[in-house]
Amino acid sequence: MRIAIVTESFLPSLNGVTTSVCRVLDCLRERGHEAMVIAPSPAPTTYHGFPVRSVTSVPVRQFQVGLPTKEIEDLLADFRPDVVHVASPFFLGARGLFAARALGIPAVAIYQTDMAAYVLQHGGPAGRAASRATWRYLRWVHSMAERNLAPSSAAMADLRANGIGHTALWGRGVDTALFHPGWRDDAGCRALRRTLAPKGETIIGYVGRLAPEKELERLVSVADLPGTQLVLTGDGPSRRELAEALPRAAFLGRREGDDLARAYAACDVFVHTGTHETFGQTLQEAAATGLPVVAPARGGPLDLIDDGRTGLLFDPSDPADLRRCLSVLTVAEDAWEQRALMGEAGLARVANRSWRRLVDDLIGHYNAVRTPAHAA
C-alpha cells in the first residue's frame, strides 16, 4: 500500500504528534508499505528511507506551522497514494484533506490535539466564542475525511458532541523496548537519581512540554511535600515562569532516547497536570517504566489509569486533591508498598499496547476507507 502522511508536526520538533507519526512509519516500513511524509519545514529529507517533503512554514509559539498551499496537492498527485493519513489536522492537514478529496483519494484523519480547549484557555475574554468557532472549523476539516480516529473515549465523545461523524477509536502504542523498569539498574540512571535525591528523597517526576496548556502551576501545591523532590523533564515557553514558581524543583530540559528513558526510571511516581489531553502518551511511557501515575480525572487519562490500581485520578476542580493523591504515594506509611503494587499493575496493563499491534489496527482503517463495502 502507498500511504501519504500529512502531519502538522515532524522532526526535529518533538511532541506527541511527531512521536506517533514516527512510530507509524517505523511499523509501515517493517511491513513493506511505501510512504511519503509532508511536513512543515525545516524537516529531514528522509526518514528510514521514506521521502519527507517539507513545505513552507512560519514559527508560532515555538512550533513550525506549515502553510496550506497548493504545493500539497501537487505532492499528493505526484506520489499517487492509496490513502492519505492526516495527523492532527488544522492548517496543513486541512489542505491535505482538501487535496485528497479533490484528487479522489480516501483519507483518514487522526484527531490528537484539543485545539478548541487551547483557544479557550488562551483566548481571554473572547475565548468561549473563539472555542466555538474552532469547533465549527474542525467540523469542516474533519468532514473531508472518510474516517476520523480519536485516541480515547473522552476525545471521541467530544468529536461526536461537536457534530463530527465517521469516528472510530484508535489509541497509541508504547515503545516497551525503550521504556521499561530495567533502566533502574543502569549506572547512568542510578547516578542521576543520586544527583536529584542525594538524601534518598522520593522523586515525583513530570515529562512533557513546559507550556501553559499543561497547567503545571498545579505543582506548586505539592512542591513542599516532605521528603520529596520534584523533577521536570522537557522544555517550553513556561520554563522560566515555572522555575520561579518551583524554586526547589529540578529541571532536566529536553531529553530523547535512552536519556529520556533514564529520566523516567529515576522517578518514583509520575504526575501529569493538564486537563485537556486527548490521550496522554507520557502516562503510558511512565507506566511501561513501572511507575504509578497520578493525573486529572478528565480526558485521556480516564482510559489510561485504573484509579486505585495502576495510579490515582485527582479531581482537577479541587485544589487540594492533587496533594492528597501524591501524599498517598509519597509520605503515607505504606507509600512504598502502594507505589510498587500500582507500578506493577500499570506495567501489566500497557504490556500489550505495542506500536506493531496499533499500526495493524490502523492499516485496518486504511483498508476500510479504501473499500467502502468492507467498512459497512
Side-chain angles (χ1 to χ4, degrees):
M1 192 186 312
R2 292 170 66 85
I3 303 104
I5 297 181
V6 182
T7 177
E8 299 284 349
S9 180
F10 197 61
L11 300 171
S13 295
L14 290 178
N15 51 54
V17 175
T18 297
T19 297
S20 295
V21 169
C22 288
R23 296 295 81 78
V24 167
L25 289 167
D26 294 342
C27 294
L28 291 177
R29 182 175 180 272
E30 287 181 0
R31 284 154 177 73
H33 297 288
E34 297 179 64
M36 174 188 70
V37 178
I38 300 174
S41 62
T45 57
T46 63
Y47 178 82
H48 286 192
F50 294 134
V52 178
R53 307 299 185 221
S54 57
V55 300
T56 304
S57 68
V58 295
V60 178
R61 288 179 53 82
Q62 299 186 350
F63 282 107
Q64 290 299 127
V65 176
L67 299 182
T69 67
K70 188 179 180 298
E71 181 182 6
I72 300 164
E73 188 168 345
D74 295 337
L75 290 168
L76 291 177
D78 288 343
F79 185 66
R80 302 191 306 277
D82 297 304
V83 65
V84 176
H85 166 138
V86 186
S88 196
F90 201 71
F91 291 121
L92 193 63
R95 183 68 194 220
L97 288 167
F98 181 84
R101 174 155 291 194
L103 294 167
I105 305 168
V108 170
I110 313 297
Y111 177 69
Q112 194 157 341
T113 305
D114 190 350
M115 289 298 298
Y118 182 86
V119 169
L120 177 63
Q121 186 176 28
H122 297 277
R128 290 189 181 278
S131 180
R132 290 193 295 270
T134 299
W135 274 118
R136 287 195 296 272
Y137 174 72
L138 288 172
R139 275 196 296 275
W140 172 74
V141 170
H142 284 271
S143 72
M144 294 183 283
E146 277 69 31
R147 184 159 295 189
N148 294 297
L149 301 181
S152 65
S153 56
M156 189 155 69
D158 283 344
L159 291 179
R160 290 175 173 174
N162 286 280
I164 295 174
H166 305 293
T167 57
L169 193 64
W170 181 66
R172 299 291 181 271
V174 60
D175 185 353
T176 54
L178 177 60
F179 303 106
H180 57 81
W183 281 108
R184 293 173 185 165
D185 297 324
D186 173 76
C189 179
R190 293 199 304 268
L192 176 61
R193 185 174 175 85
R194 286 193 300 269
T195 300
L196 296 172
K199 298 179 181 179
E201 295 93 338
T202 300
I203 297 178
I204 301 170
Y206 164 86
V207 174
R209 183 167 160 80
L210 307 184
E213 62 270 17
K214 301 301 182 181
E215 303 174 60
L216 290 162
E217 64 277 3
R218 295 179 188 274
L219 294 177
V220 173
S221 69
V222 300
D224 63 344
L225 277 173
T228 68
Q229 173 62 52
L230 190 60
V231 177
L232 287 78
T233 301
D235 207 349
S238 297
R239 176 163 180 166
R240 179 178 297 180
E241 179 182 342
L242 288 167
E244 293 175 355
L246 301 166
R248 292 183 55 249
F251 290 81
L252 300 185
R254 170 172 155 166
R255 293 195 169 209
E256 304 175 42
D258 290 356
D259 285 340
L260 177 59
R262 289 187 183 97
Y264 276 111
C267 299
D268 296 298
V269 59
F270 185 82
V271 63
H272 189 81
T273 51
T275 58
H276 301 297
E277 297 296 326
T278 59
F279 187 70
Q281 183 64 15
T282 59
L283 279 64
Q284 282 201 140
E285 293 169 354
T289 311
L291 300 178
V293 176
V294 175
R298 194 173 296 171
L302 292 171
D303 284 1
L304 298 176
I305 299 174
D306 185 353
D307 189 33
R309 183 170 177 270
T310 66
L312 296 171
L313 293 168
F314 70 88
D315 179 358
S317 66
D318 181 353
D321 205 36
L322 174 59
R323 186 181 179 93
R324 180 191 65 79
C325 288
L326 282 171
S327 295
V328 170
L329 296 173
T330 58
V331 300
E333 186 174 341
D334 63 345
W336 187 91
E337 180 181 359
Q338 289 295 318
R339 292 199 304 269
L341 290 171
M342 290 183 183
E344 183 178 350
L347 177 60
R349 190 170 184 184
V350 300
N352 68 340
R353 293 180 185 169
S354 71
W355 274 108
R356 289 182 178 88
R357 186 180 70 80
L358 269 292
V359 172
D360 283 343
D361 293 343
L362 180 61
I363 291 170
H365 290 297
Y366 292 164
N367 285 322
V369 300
R370 292 177 64 201
T371 56
H374 173 68

